[in-house]
Amino acid sequence: MSGFNDNPFGDPFSDPAITSATNRPAVNGDSGLEDYNPFANQTTKPSNSIRGATNPPLTSQEPAVINTSSLGPNNKSYASPPAYTPSAAQTVSIDEIQRQKEELDRKEAELAAREERLRMDGITMKKENNWPPLPSFCPLTPCFYHDINVEIPVEFQRLVRHVYYLWMFYVGVLFVNLLGGLAAMIEKIDGGGGIFAFSLVSLIIFTPLSFVCWFRPLYKAFRNDSSFNFMVFFFVFFCQLVFAILCAIGIPGMGSIGLIVAIEWSSGAPVFFTIFIFLCAIVTASYALASFLVLVKVHSIYRSTGASMQKAQMEFTQGVLRNEHVQHAATAAATGAARQAMSQQFGSNNTNNSSGGSGLRY
């Protein structure tokens, strides 16, 4: 083991250069060999010196940027347009916009208040009757207030107006039937005088009755959403529709000029009279067809509103109970019945007493 001490080259760490390097004190924060870290100063990994397709060479030049804003449709350069500057007329201040908004709000509030005032005035104000439109010198006065644009909702005004025109058309049919009966009476047609008399009576009686019995209930039904008035309209108007169909057919003895009557009267009659008679029959048939269409239309609207027979009965009961005339009549009837019952009771008691008193004999 003494072979190490017998090294002919000596101790390699006893070299004076190495000894001075290891024993040199640290200057300016330099550490000795013991504290030396060979990896401490390597902050970045050395880049690969081999450049290729996957590792292109680094250059200090920035990539070229093409300004496409100065190129036209055909990649031709053109001068940029000047910046848009609004004119003085187009510039509106915020205060002006606010002022206009406040003015519009004020006008809207005024219109709403005016509409509410008009609505309240229409509710509280007593409406004057304006139908039928009679002249001022006539001693009679109108009986109803009739204004479709005011009392009928907007969605039903067109239908109610058409029904009103249908009523006017019905009056015209009655008048045409009167003229046909007059022409038949002049031509001395058998049955012409009877038709003329019936047409005259129908024109006088059915004109106001048709307005009161089926148009006015329909008017009030759409005005008040009343199921009871709908029921009245359906009943009366259906009966009139059946009568109009029979008149259009022209059954002899119905008092109307229909198809059968026109065919019978046209045989051997003058041409003008025949044409006029057939025109009367066509007018009557047109009214029957129009009445059928109106009835179907009103019934479809009635079903869509959710009305029913129970609602009509309820309205009728409430209307009867709230009617002042009905209340007075019921009160008078109940009072009379009570008085009669009391008088009968007292009368029977007096009779029994008198008979009993006369029978006591001693």
Side-chain angles (χ1 to χ4, degrees):
M1 297 301 291
S2 61
F4 290 101
N5 296 327
D6 296 336
N7 187 5
F9 298 100
D11 187 5
F13 297 100
S14 63
D15 190 356
I18 296 175
T19 304
S20 61
T22 57
N23 294 328
R24 183 174 60 84
V27 179
N28 297 330
D30 295 339
S31 60
L33 184 61
E34 293 83 358
D35 299 328
Y36 177 71
N37 187 4
F39 302 101
N41 296 327
Q42 295 181 5
T43 58
T44 59
K45 184 178 180 181
S47 60
N48 190 7
S49 60
I50 301 175
R51 302 292 178 180
T54 61
N55 191 14
L58 300 176
T59 58
S60 60
Q61 297 180 356
E62 296 181 356
V65 178
I66 301 175
N67 187 8
T68 60
S69 61
S70 62
L71 297 179
N74 297 327
N75 295 330
K76 294 182 180 180
S77 62
Y78 64 93
S80 300
Y84 173 74
T85 303
S87 61
Q90 297 175 346
T91 305
V92 181
S93 62
I94 299 177
D95 297 337
E96 183 68 18
I97 295 177
Q98 185 67 22
R99 187 185 64 81
Q100 293 179 359
K101 183 178 180 300
E102 292 177 355
E103 185 177 358
L104 290 176
D105 294 340
R106 181 178 58 82
K107 291 182 178 180
E108 184 178 359
E110 290 179 357
L111 289 175
R114 184 180 300 175
E115 290 180 357
E116 182 66 18
R117 186 169 59 254
L118 290 175
R119 188 179 68 84
M120 295 303 297
D121 292 342
I123 294 175
T124 57
M125 183 181 61
K126 180 176 174 45
K127 298 177 181 179
E128 297 182 357
N129 297 331
N130 58 357
W131 200 96
L134 300 174
S136 58
F137 60 85
C138 184
L140 301 177
T141 57
C143 303
F144 307 99
Y145 178 79
H146 176 82
D147 195 342
I148 297 176
N149 296 326
V150 174
E151 293 190 320
I152 305 301
V154 179
E155 60 270 20
F156 303 129
Q157 289 182 2
R158 183 178 181 182
L159 177 61
V160 175
R161 192 173 289 108
H162 287 174
V163 177
Y164 181 67
Y165 295 155
L166 179 65
W167 174 80
M168 298 175 65
F169 182 51
Y170 174 67
V171 177
V173 170
L174 294 178
F175 184 73
V176 169
N177 194 34
L178 176 66
L179 295 180
L182 179 62
M185 188 175 60
I186 293 174
E187 291 292 332
K188 299 180 180 180
I189 303 296
D190 188 15
I195 291 180
F196 174 77
F198 181 79
S199 301
L200 181 60
V201 175
S202 300
L203 181 62
I204 296 173
I205 296 178
F206 291 163
T207 297
L209 286 181
S210 59
F211 185 86
V212 174
C213 294
W214 60 265
F215 174 75
R216 192 65 185 175
L218 181 68
Y219 184 90
K220 292 189 293 184
F222 282 110
R223 184 188 63 185
N224 303 327
D225 191 17
S226 174
S227 298
F228 175 72
N229 287 287
F230 271 116
M231 293 298 176
V232 174
F233 167 77
F234 288 138
F235 176 75
V236 178
F237 196 76
F238 179 77
C239 294
Q240 181 171 335
L241 175 61
V242 173
F243 183 75
I245 293 174
L246 295 178
C247 292
I249 295 174
I251 299 176
M254 290 293 299
S256 175
I257 301 175
L259 183 61
I260 298 176
V261 174
I263 294 174
E264 291 180 356
W265 288 0
S266 62
S267 58
V271 178
F272 177 78
F273 175 76
T274 302
I275 294 175
F276 182 73
I277 292 302
F278 273 100
L279 287 177
C280 294
I282 292 173
V283 168
T284 306
S286 300
Y287 169 74
L289 178 61
S291 299
F292 175 76
L293 296 177
V294 166
L295 183 62
V296 172
K297 181 65 176 178
V298 174
H299 185 266
S300 63
I301 295 177
Y302 168 77
R303 300 301 299 175
S304 63
T305 55
S308 61
M309 181 64 71
Q310 290 78 8
K311 185 178 178 182
Q313 293 176 356
M314 185 182 301
E315 290 178 1
F316 176 75
T317 304
Q318 293 177 356
V320 169
L321 293 178
R322 292 178 181 178
N323 194 337
E324 296 181 358
H325 301 286
V326 175
Q327 292 177 358
H328 292 316
T331 303
T335 304
R339 288 178 179 177
Q340 184 178 2
M342 292 177 65
S343 62
Q344 291 179 358
Q345 183 67 25
F346 285 122
S348 61
N349 291 334
N350 294 331
T351 303
N352 293 332
N353 291 333
S354 61
S355 62
S358 59
L360 291 178
R361 301 293 183 182
Y362 293 96

